[in-house]
Amino acid sequence: MSCQKIRKFSHALLQKSKAASLCRGLKTSVASYGNVASRGPTNQIGKCCENGQSCGSNSGIQATGSTAIPTSPSPANHRQVGGKKFKEVSPKFSERAFTTAPKIDSKVYLWSRYNEMKRLVHDLIPPGVCNLLNPSTIYANNEVDLDEVEIYGFDYDYTLALYSNTLDTMIYNTARDFLVKHYKYPEGISKYDYIPNFAARGLHYDIQKGLLMKIDAFHYIQLGTVYRGLNPVPDEEVLELYGGTNHVPLEEVSGFYGKGPVMKQFMDVFSIPEMTLLAAANDYFNSNDIEYDPGHLYKDVSDAIGMVHIKGYMYKWIMQDLEKYILRGDETYAVLHRLASHGKKLFLITNSPFSFVDKGMKYMVGKDWRDLFDIVIVQADKPHFFNSCGKPFRRLDSNGDLQWDKIKSLDKGQVYKQGNLFDFLRLTGWRGSKVLYFGDHLYSDLADLMLRHGWRTGAIVPELEVETRVVNTEQYAQGLTWLQALTGLLERMQMHRDPESKKVLQDWLKEREELRAVTKNLFNPHFGSIFRTCHNPTYFSRRLCRFSDVYMASISCLLNYDLSYTFYPRRTPLQHEAPLWMDQLCTGCMKTPFLEEMAHIR
């Protein structure tokens, strides 16, 4: 859909909503505000709208939401409505001075508003309004001018190298076998196969209670997303477990690096198999009524997953079959060559060993890949690399062996191990917003760089591709739009307190909960979107906004933008602000670049 169509849709939405809201407000002021409506002749108001005249011409009335509220009176205590003046009456005589408004059937009125809103929503979502989002878009949390960026830095795993889902299965199976053979867990756990798409990144795990859950930006557990093993925990039980509330206190939620005294937040893509193994082991113990300590289980599963990395199993699998595990290497090649050809300096800081990185980079970029990079640092031990000055840099020779010489400079063509950011900054002078670093782990890769050192940061969020496909479906667009419209109706109609009206509102609340469940299940039937709970941002989203200037599905998204492009964050209205700018009237879709519009850059 072209931007012109989007503008027409936005304009139609604004005008139709204004007109309908204003006229309905004037017609129904009697039902909503009897004491206010009694100050003027209600039949004049209804006649105005019915005859198609402009309600806005009634100078004494101001439309607010779904009601009409009189503005300050005209001079000499007279109020003018529909061209006629009425003398202001003292409040203490108002009940006797005016006749009572005709009684309106609240149930009929509420359902008429419901049906009218449903028709409005249907009419204002034209064909093609879906499929607006481009999965190759780079989204901005902060304004970033690429023309000012001189130096580009990268993590390796899930940044330069993207891996297939087959790797998750291998990590899970190997860690499960460690748990049974080396930690002597029951053989029955071996029968649990890996469950793709069960867990989602950004979830929290209550270590002592053995519960996996999603928490929002305000530290509230999203009810319906709490799992003990592979089974959901009823909402009533969740509230009982947490002292009658679904709020988790600040001191119990994960700290700056994702680990608190009670909760652990899983933030990287590698954590998906770990969450699934925790769920499977918990499920085995619970299903067989075996008493166990959830704290011990958490530690043992964490150690078993760690052994997959420490013993080099993951590195071995990938190096033996690069084509099977590494995805889209040609795009990594294109990004790095484009940046280097434009005179940008490149550096690599990764926790992975050099032999593993070297093999993968040769597969994706070529045997001379190191010629593209000014500095290469491996086994950096992030996040400690970014927040500690304890470990010095060590140089590796061509065979990967450690050298004993003192490091006085970081030179192109050399490979360095360990080190720390403070020495890195001292030796390079690369500071501030001229540096842009990309990584997938919000805590280990980006948090310190953003908050302590002032570098620009880019988060790699592979889940964006899947979630964008969901958002682009007609089912999601229709469902979410009607959900928001129904929520607005509930907010405006809640002043109706009679028994019949309360029953109608309860029906609406039930429908709203059903819509929320359907929308959640479109992303993940267990935990929903990684970016939102029902309506609030998730805890993951909060960290994503705080620790990254821009975020994208992969670094290949850079290919869609000129290297002097400026990313402008969307101005999202605060709760007390009205969405008066066009960018918001079409939900930001006009800020989404289309591939055909950016084709000249490639």
Side-chain angles (χ1 to χ4, degrees):
M1 175 177 288
S2 66
C3 290
Q4 184 178 7
K5 288 182 180 179
I6 296 169
R7 292 189 185 97
K8 287 181 179 179
F9 164 55
S10 306
H11 182 72
L13 175 63
L14 178 63
Q15 295 302 322
K16 198 165 185 178
S17 298
K18 279 184 176 179
S21 177
L22 183 57
C23 291
R24 284 195 304 267
L26 293 170
K27 284 181 181 180
T28 61
S29 59
V30 175
S32 301
Y33 290 94
N35 62 324
V36 174
S38 65
R39 298 177 186 172
T42 57
N43 61 326
Q44 290 292 331
I45 299 174
K47 185 176 180 181
C48 161
C49 294
E50 289 167 4
N51 292 340
Q53 298 175 11
S54 172
C55 296
S57 63
N58 297 303
S59 59
I61 303 293
Q62 176 184 350
T64 306
S66 61
T67 62
I69 302 176
T71 57
S72 57
S74 56
N77 289 332
H78 282 70
R79 191 174 300 278
Q80 183 169 337
V81 180
K84 297 181 180 181
K85 292 185 178 181
F86 295 89
K87 189 174 181 180
E88 189 75 33
V89 180
S90 173
K92 67 179 182 178
F93 300 116
S94 59
E95 292 183 8
R96 298 180 181 179
F98 295 93
T99 59
T100 305
K103 187 176 181 180
I104 296 178
D105 188 327
S106 296
K107 180 179 179 180
V108 173
Y109 168 70
L110 290 174
W111 282 114
S112 68
R113 291 296 302 275
Y114 174 97
N115 292 325
E116 185 180 0
M117 183 60 73
K118 204 153 197 177
R119 284 193 300 271
L120 182 65
V121 168
H122 181 269
D123 292 345
L124 290 179
I125 300 184
V129 75
C130 308
N131 202 31
L132 287 172
L133 292 180
N134 178 357
S136 295
T137 300
I138 294 178
Y139 300 97
N141 294 320
N142 196 14
E143 187 171 321
V144 176
D145 183 358
L146 291 184
D147 203 34
E148 297 178 355
V149 177
E150 302 173 6
I151 305 137
Y152 287 78
F154 301 92
D155 180 31
Y156 180 72
D157 296 302
Y158 283 106
T159 301
L160 290 178
L162 296 178
Y163 301 119
S164 68
N165 293 333
T166 307
L167 184 61
D168 292 339
T169 304
M170 295 291 288
I171 293 173
Y172 172 89
N173 290 340
T174 306
R176 180 198 59 196
D177 294 343
F178 264 123
L179 206 60
V180 173
K181 295 175 181 177
H182 295 273
Y183 293 93
K184 307 305 179 184
Y185 274 70
E187 284 285 344
I189 294 177
S190 298
K191 297 179 181 179
Y192 283 80
D193 293 328
Y194 180 66
I195 308 172
N197 303 318
F198 169 75
R201 188 151 62 123
L203 298 179
H204 280 77
Y205 184 75
D206 190 314
I207 297 170
Q208 295 303 321
K209 294 182 176 69
L211 300 177
L212 192 63
M213 67 190 71
K214 188 163 75 170
I215 295 179
D216 73 10
F218 302 96
H219 298 188
Y220 282 91
I221 301 167
Q222 182 182 354
L223 297 177
T225 68
V226 181
Y227 276 73
R228 180 184 288 114
L230 300 174
N231 297 304
V233 181
D235 296 347
E236 298 77 13
E237 185 178 347
V238 173
L239 295 174
E240 183 179 347
L241 286 168
Y242 289 92
T245 179
N246 61 325
H247 182 266
V248 182
L250 174 65
E251 62 272 13
E252 295 182 10
V253 183
S254 52
F256 189 78
Y257 293 108
K259 175 76 163 58
V262 175
M263 296 280 189
K264 156 76 176 179
Q265 188 181 20
F266 293 100
M267 291 296 278
D268 66 341
V269 185
F270 283 129
S271 64
I272 303 294
E274 182 175 354
M275 286 185 275
T276 308
L277 183 54
L278 276 169
N282 274 300
D283 189 77
Y284 175 82
F285 286 123
N286 292 320
S287 299
N288 292 278
D289 295 321
I290 299 174
E291 188 176 359
Y292 68 107
D293 188 321
H296 296 334
L297 174 63
Y298 166 77
K299 183 181 184 306
D300 293 342
V301 168
S302 180
D303 290 346
I305 291 286
M307 292 297 285
V308 176
H309 298 275
I310 293 171
K311 289 185 173 292
Y313 288 102
M314 188 193 78
Y315 304 134
K316 181 181 177 181
W317 302 328
I318 295 174
M319 291 170 70
Q320 286 179 344
D321 198 341
L322 295 168
E323 188 174 354
K324 177 180 178 180
Y325 290 105
I326 294 183
L327 304 175
R328 298 156 64 172
D330 56 331
E331 296 178 0
T332 298
Y333 171 90
V335 169
L336 296 178
H337 271 271
R338 183 164 177 257
L339 293 174
S341 66
H342 282 75
K344 305 298 183 181
K345 294 183 181 297
L346 308 181
F347 67 94
L348 173 67
I349 302 177
T350 176
N351 284 349
S352 294
F354 176 70
S355 59
F356 172 69
V357 174
D358 185 53
K359 188 113 181 206
M361 290 298 288
K362 284 179 178 176
Y363 171 75
M364 293 186 291
V365 182
K367 64 178 182 179
D368 297 325
W369 69 271
R370 284 164 56 188
D371 293 343
L372 298 173
F373 287 85
D374 293 84
I375 298 174
V376 175
I377 300 168
V378 298
Q379 294 176 275
D381 192 26
K382 296 178 293 184
H384 303 297
F385 180 92
F386 294 130
N387 59 37
S388 171
C389 55
K391 293 182 179 179
F393 281 108
R394 299 286 300 271
R395 187 170 61 85
L396 301 179
D397 64 13
S398 57
N399 296 320
D401 296 325
L402 282 173
Q403 300 301 291
W404 46 262
D405 53 320
K406 184 178 178 64
I407 303 302
K408 297 181 180 179
S409 62
L410 298 176
D411 302 320
K412 186 169 184 173
Q414 300 296 323
V415 178
Y416 301 92
K417 179 181 176 181
Q418 297 176 342
N420 62 83
L421 186 65
F422 299 94
D423 285 341
F424 182 93
L425 296 175
R426 177 176 58 81
L427 295 172
T428 63
W430 294 351
R431 301 176 183 274
S433 58
K434 67 180 180 179
V435 185
L436 173 55
Y437 184 81
F438 294 93
D440 69 292
H441 198 301
L442 300 182
Y443 295 127
S444 296
D445 289 325
L446 308 180
D448 286 295
L449 297 178
M450 159 73 81
L451 299 181
R452 302 179 194 273
H453 302 288
W455 282 10
R456 296 296 198 177
T457 56
I460 304 302
V461 188
E463 295 90 343
L464 271 171
E465 289 192 1
V466 175
E467 298 225 355
T468 299
R469 285 200 295 269
V470 173
V471 171
N472 280 340
T473 62
E474 185 175 352
Q475 183 181 5
Y476 177 84
Q478 293 279 0
L480 182 65
T481 305
W482 173 236
L483 173 60
Q484 293 300 93
L486 184 60
T487 302
L489 271 178
L490 281 163
E491 182 179 19
R492 293 192 295 274
M493 299 294 106
Q494 63 183 308
M495 74 284 296
H496 295 277
R497 305 291 186 186
D498 60 279
E500 287 292 324
S501 296
K502 286 184 177 180
K503 186 177 183 304
V504 173
L505 295 175
Q506 284 300 316
D507 289 342
W508 292 1
L509 283 169
K510 183 180 178 181
E511 181 181 359
R512 181 171 178 255
E513 289 305 309
E514 291 171 351
L515 285 167
R516 282 179 162 183
V518 170
T519 304
K520 181 194 98 172
N521 292 344
L522 290 174
F523 296 98
N524 178 302
H526 310 289
F527 302 102
S529 167
I530 71 170
F531 300 103
R532 279 196 182 275
T533 56
C534 293
H535 51 274
N536 289 332
T538 58
Y539 199 87
F540 174 85
S541 283
R542 182 181 181 182
R543 290 296 190 260
L544 179 65
C545 292
R546 188 181 183 194
F547 298 150
S548 66
D549 290 290
V550 293
Y551 63 99
M552 65 212 74
S554 69
I555 61 166
S556 65
C557 297
L558 284 168
L559 297 172
N560 297 317
Y561 298 87
D562 189 89
L563 292 181
S564 60
Y565 190 92
T566 299
F567 296 100
Y568 295 98
R570 186 180 306 162
R571 182 184 171 95
T572 304
L574 301 175
Q575 292 298 315
H576 66 278
E577 295 179 325
L580 299 178
W581 41 96
M582 288 297 295
D583 182 40
Q584 284 304 315
L585 294 177
C586 60
T587 65
C589 55
M590 287 197 297
K591 287 189 68 63
T592 304
F594 294 82
L595 281 177
E596 60 267 23
E597 294 174 356
M598 311 299 288
H600 67 282
I601 296 176
R602 287 182 180 265

